[in-house]
Amino acid sequence: MSRSATPARYHPLSVLMHWATALLALVTLGCILVATQFHPAPATRETLLMVHMVSGQTMFLLQLLQLLLFSAFGTPVPDGMDAQQVHVARCLHALLYGTVGFLACSGTLLAVSQAAGTEVLGWRVPLMLTGQGLLALREVHAMAGMGFVVFCGVHALLAIGMHHFGRRATLGKMAVEGELVDYLAAPQTDGGYARIDRPDLNGSA
């Protein structure tokens, strides 16, 4: 496979990270909903908020790794009935990744601000935001979270619709069929996947 070839499916590692990200998104959303809507005991609420933060940051890191995989191995062309639908699909993916990045950054700033004055490994956490600033950031973070839920829903509906009504193999591009183990055990160029030894770097196509 040449380096410029467009793969028919996503790389197996990218498929694994995609579904891990989806699972983390559900955990992140579930934890914050329970913590804010059901008013659990203070200790339980603190645990839920911690899981929410860790899951969100892990999701962000996974998406950064996915972008590296996309750069190294390429991605299939998004499915669409015309060029406009393909463009919409690409914009939606950009919105998803951008929203996760914003949520991770704003969530980190919220956590640091709320921990102001405490000592971590001998270092006192500085005061980053005032009360009004903290409240405004919390509201913006919540609105971005709702936007992310909407984007995820639209993304899922479009993929299902294109697969079943557009007669495209959209869901098959992200299907888990055992290629990950095969790839790690015996990487090869078949199926649009690159080799670990990267023959294109040795001068061959």
Side-chain angles (χ1 to χ4, degrees):
M1 182 189 77
S2 65
R3 186 179 177 88
S4 60
T6 300
R9 297 181 57 195
Y10 287 94
H11 189 277
L13 289 174
S14 182
V15 173
L16 179 66
M17 291 181 184
H18 174 271
W19 293 114
T21 299
L23 178 61
L24 286 170
L26 291 175
V27 172
T28 304
L29 178 62
C31 286
I32 197 63
L33 285 177
V34 173
T36 57
Q37 301 300 319
F38 293 93
H39 307 291
T44 303
R45 186 176 185 275
E46 289 298 319
T47 300
L48 289 170
L49 291 177
M50 179 61 67
V51 174
H52 170 80
M53 183 181 68
V54 172
S55 298
Q57 296 294 340
T58 304
M59 181 170 59
F60 176 56
L61 292 177
L62 281 180
Q63 291 209 333
L64 289 180
L65 291 175
Q66 269 193 297
L67 291 176
L68 291 176
L69 286 173
F70 292 163
S71 177
F73 300 116
T75 60
V77 176
D79 288 329
M81 304 305 294
D82 51 37
Q84 287 73 27
Q85 289 187 5
V86 172
H87 184 66
V88 168
R90 286 174 171 157
C91 289
L92 183 57
H93 279 90
L95 282 172
L96 283 168
Y97 281 91
T99 305
V100 170
F102 176 79
L103 287 170
C105 294
S106 59
T108 299
L109 185 56
L110 281 172
V112 172
S113 298
Q114 291 172 342
T118 61
E119 288 193 4
V120 179
L121 300 177
W123 177 72
R124 185 176 295 276
V125 179
L127 178 64
M128 303 290 291
L129 292 171
T130 62
Q132 289 296 325
L134 187 62
L135 179 61
L137 181 60
R138 187 180 290 113
E139 291 178 351
V140 172
H141 182 79
M143 287 189 292
M146 289 187 287
F148 177 68
V149 172
V150 172
F151 297 150
C152 286
V154 173
H155 171 68
L157 289 175
L158 288 178
I160 293 171
M162 189 60 64
H163 184 87
H164 291 289
F165 301 107
R167 305 291 184 181
R168 304 298 176 88
T170 306
L171 299 182
K173 295 178 181 179
M174 277 294 180
V176 180
E177 297 179 351
E179 287 90 344
L180 177 61
V181 175
D182 298 335
Y183 176 80
L184 294 176
Q188 48 187 288
T189 58
D190 295 338
Y193 303 139
R195 296 171 59 108
I196 287 179
D197 56 359
R198 299 297 295 279
D200 54 305
L201 297 182
N202 297 324
S204 59

